[in-house]
Amino acid sequence: MHVGEIINKYRKEEKMTLSELSQKSGVALATLSRVENGKMTGTLKSHINICDALGITITDLYKDLPSAKKTVEVKTKETGPKVSIHDKKSASIILATNVRDKNMLPILITIAKHGRTGAEEDARGVEKFIYVIEGRIEAAIGEEKYVLGSGDTIYFDSSAPHYFKNLGNSEVKIVSVSCPPAA
């Protein structure tokens, strides 16, 4: 089953024509037709717009998609982690390879004493899970702030503006997992 077949199923359940879905989602009628007929897949943005128009979540749309390949990948220290430095106070290490082919994006984030990550705001439909390995952080999500310590977790809609701040006197380590990948 491909994404177009799933969209078609939900559209018919809603008793909606292709033209009505096009109008509600803002996705061109020709594009919708090609997606439903398996001639193209569309973009994440078009999928989000289609989901909004159908009253479903992006997770509903993707949950029945077959995995293209079922593989096991091992990433060792020697394979060279991809490090992204936000500034001198925080760094992110992507913990998986070929992230464009994955359903989630695991990242190890380190934050120096008195440091913080840059502010982020992911696309609608992206969720994030945070696990504090060591240290104490302030997780600022939207207008709210949460204090988390070693072993604590938080799960949230990462389309809300967010950042993480080190509240302690030593380096903080957290694991962040985004789904679908927002990289």
Side-chain angles (χ1 to χ4, degrees), residues 38-162:
K39 295 190 172 40
M40 68 184 294
T41 58
T43 63
L44 178 59
K45 182 173 177 25
S46 68
H47 290 180
I48 291 169
N49 291 344
I50 291 166
C51 288
D52 287 346
L54 292 171
I56 62 172
T57 66
I58 198 79
T59 307
D60 292 332
L61 180 62
Y62 294 155
K63 71 181 176 190
D64 292 327
L65 285 176
S67 176
K69 45 184 160 166
K70 295 185 181 193
T71 60
V72 174
E73 292 182 15
V74 176
K75 186 170 183 174
T76 64
K77 291 178 191 176
E78 290 77 30
T79 60
K82 183 176 177 184
V83 179
S84 169
I85 305 292
H86 294 293
D87 57 33
K88 292 180 181 177
K89 294 286 188 176
S90 70
S92 299
I93 301 171
I94 297 175
L95 299 174
T97 58
N98 303 315
V99 292
R100 294 190 191 279
D101 298 332
K102 304 290 191 294
N103 294 320
M104 63 180 165
L105 176 63
I107 297 175
L108 174 65
I109 300 172
T110 57
I111 307 170
K113 175 180 168 181
H114 304 300
R116 66 167 258 191
T117 63
E120 294 182 61
E121 189 172 338
D122 296 318
R124 281 184 46 149
V126 177
E127 298 174 339
K128 193 170 278 186
F129 171 82
I130 300 295
Y131 175 77
V132 181
I133 298 171
E134 59 186 58
R136 198 164 157 255
I137 65 166
E138 174 184 270
I141 302 166
E143 300 294 319
E144 301 293 323
K145 293 183 179 178
Y146 307 88
V147 175
L148 305 170
S150 180
D152 292 341
T153 66
I154 190 165
Y155 186 99
F156 60 98
D157 173 352
S158 62
S159 66
H162 59 280

Side-chain angles (χ1 to χ4, degrees), residues 14 16 20-26 48-56:
E14 292 296 313
M16 193 181 296
E20 289 169 331
L21 181 56
S22 173
Q23 290 174 356
K24 283 184 89 172
S25 67
I48 291 169
N49 291 344
I50 291 166
C51 288
D52 287 346
L54 292 171
I56 62 172

